[in-house]
Amino acid sequence: MKIIKLKTNEEVTKYLAELLLQQIESNPKSVLGLATGSTPTLAYHQLVKKYLVDQTDFSQVITFNLDEYIGIEPENKNSYRSFMNENLFNYININQENTFLPSTDDQNYAKYDDLIKEYGGIDLQILGIGENGHIGFNEPGTKESTLTHKVTLAENTRENNSIFFDSLEDVPKEAVTMGITSILNAKKIILAATKSNKAEIIKRLINNDISENLPASFLKKHPNVIILVDEDSGKYIEEMI
Ligand code: GLP
């Protein structure tokens, strides 16, 4: 894992957007693995800006999102489909038919991995991290062998994500997420973490061995991973490694 520590949330955001743009410039048909949550949101807005100002072309880009809630319709403002439409897809020239999220209808969730494979695999996967070390919605206890699957959300995850909902009761209890193996199949991975509530888990991620208790630690098995932190989330990390 390569660790890059920048000063501010804004710098992390710009760096993340830059890596995504470089990927698209090097291959306009790139397959991107995208995350939701507050961490990548401003990076997505940077991409919209690049489209509006520099006419960056997204017309051939393919995207696969990490996860989706079970029990809320795609049209619901809190679905991850709506999140992606509202923060990125609706404002760039991407072909909506090339934007995928895991299906919550079909019980054969791992068909999503077959679809990713049909498109040649993910070139660049973006990840955030939960305070409990989850990636996607792979909560502590998730096995390395997992492909896209159904999960029950940890209470701490529901509480953290309730900021996007009217109340905690409205936060779904289940979701479908790409598994650990689905994520490790990506060619390159960037995990971004900002703000001080992520400092403890980033410290554990860097210092601890690989374990199911800390799902993000499986990233240590991947040859091409960047961990991108700001001074708040990286406050226990001495220097750039
Ligand atoms: C959410 C998402 C994850 C995300 C993480 C961190 O539950 N399922 O994909 O990375 O939690 O979210 P945030 O960036 O808002 O801190």
Side-chain angles (χ1 to χ4, degrees):
M1 291 194 309
K2 181 179 175 192
I3 297 153
I4 298 178
K5 184 172 169 179
L6 302 174
K7 271 204 167 66
T8 61
N9 180 19
E10 199 187 9
E11 283 179 33
V12 166
T13 292
K14 285 204 172 131
Y15 198 95
L16 191 55
E18 203 43 55
L19 291 175
L20 283 162
L21 288 164
Q22 278 172 16
Q23 175 63 44
I24 295 164
E25 271 156 29
S26 73
N27 175 12
K29 295 181 178 175
S30 287
V31 180
L32 304 178
L34 299 180
T36 49
S38 49
T39 311
T41 307
L42 291 176
Y44 296 152
H45 296 177
Q46 293 279 335
L47 297 188
V48 172
K49 206 162 147 193
K50 283 297 274 185
Y51 168 68
L52 295 174
V53 176
D54 299 330
Q55 287 84 46
T56 300
D57 183 20
F58 294 89
S59 63
Q60 299 179 86
V61 171
I62 313 288
T63 65
F64 285 93
N65 261 80
L66 278 168
D67 41 23
E68 180 58 287
Y69 288 118
I70 290 178
I72 51 180
E73 296 301 312
E75 300 74 32
N76 183 305
K77 69 175 170 61
N78 287 313
S79 73
Y80 281 165
R81 161 56 75 187
S82 291
F83 176 96
M84 292 310 302
N85 285 350
E86 283 306 313
N87 286 292
L88 182 63
F89 300 152
N90 284 352
Y91 306 104
I92 57 174
N93 69 333
I94 198 162
N95 179 350
Q96 286 273 351
E97 286 176 9
N98 291 340
T99 66
F100 300 97
L101 283 90
S103 165
T104 56
D105 301 333
D106 190 343
Q107 305 273 303
N108 187 1
Y109 302 112
K111 266 204 322 212
Y112 196 58
D113 295 271
D114 296 336
L115 191 64
I116 294 172
K117 223 179 267 170
E118 277 172 35
Y119 279 93
I122 290 173
D123 295 307
L124 177 61
Q125 175 69 56
I126 303 299
L127 296 174
I129 185 168
E131 279 177 21
N132 63 1
H134 76 218
I135 45 175
F137 271 136
N138 293 288
E139 303 285 21
T142 305
K143 299 229 170 318
E144 184 188 350
S145 59
T146 45
L147 294 173
T148 303
H149 63 296
K150 179 176 166 177
V151 292
T152 299
L153 300 178
E155 268 318 292
N156 163 273
T157 300
R158 292 186 65 242
E159 277 159 29
N160 286 336
N161 289 4
S162 66
I163 54 164
F164 296 106
F165 291 78
D166 293 336
S167 71
L168 178 60
E169 291 70 55
D170 291 343
V171 185
K173 293 196 160 70
E174 293 178 322
V176 178
T177 181
M178 277 166 59
I180 300 293
T181 289
S182 322
I183 292 169
L184 292 180
N185 280 341
K187 292 166 194 129
K188 278 177 273 175
I189 300 174
I190 305 169
L191 182 149
T194 56
K195 308 202 181 118
S196 54
N197 66 319
K198 300 290 170 68
E200 196 61 41
I201 194 66
I202 289 294
K203 181 174 83 178
R204 282 180 55 207
L205 171 61
I206 307 297
N207 296 334
N208 289 17
D209 292 336
I210 296 170
S211 131
E212 282 174 13
N213 292 329
L214 205 174
S217 66
F218 286 117
L219 298 176
K220 293 185 178 193
K221 294 197 165 188
H222 192 284
N224 201 343
V225 175
I226 293 176
I227 307 288
L228 197 52
V229 295
D230 64 2
E231 282 190 340
D232 290 336
S233 63
K235 68 181 168 193
Y236 300 127
I237 305 171
E238 291 298 316
E239 54 195 284
M240 286 189 230
I241 302 168

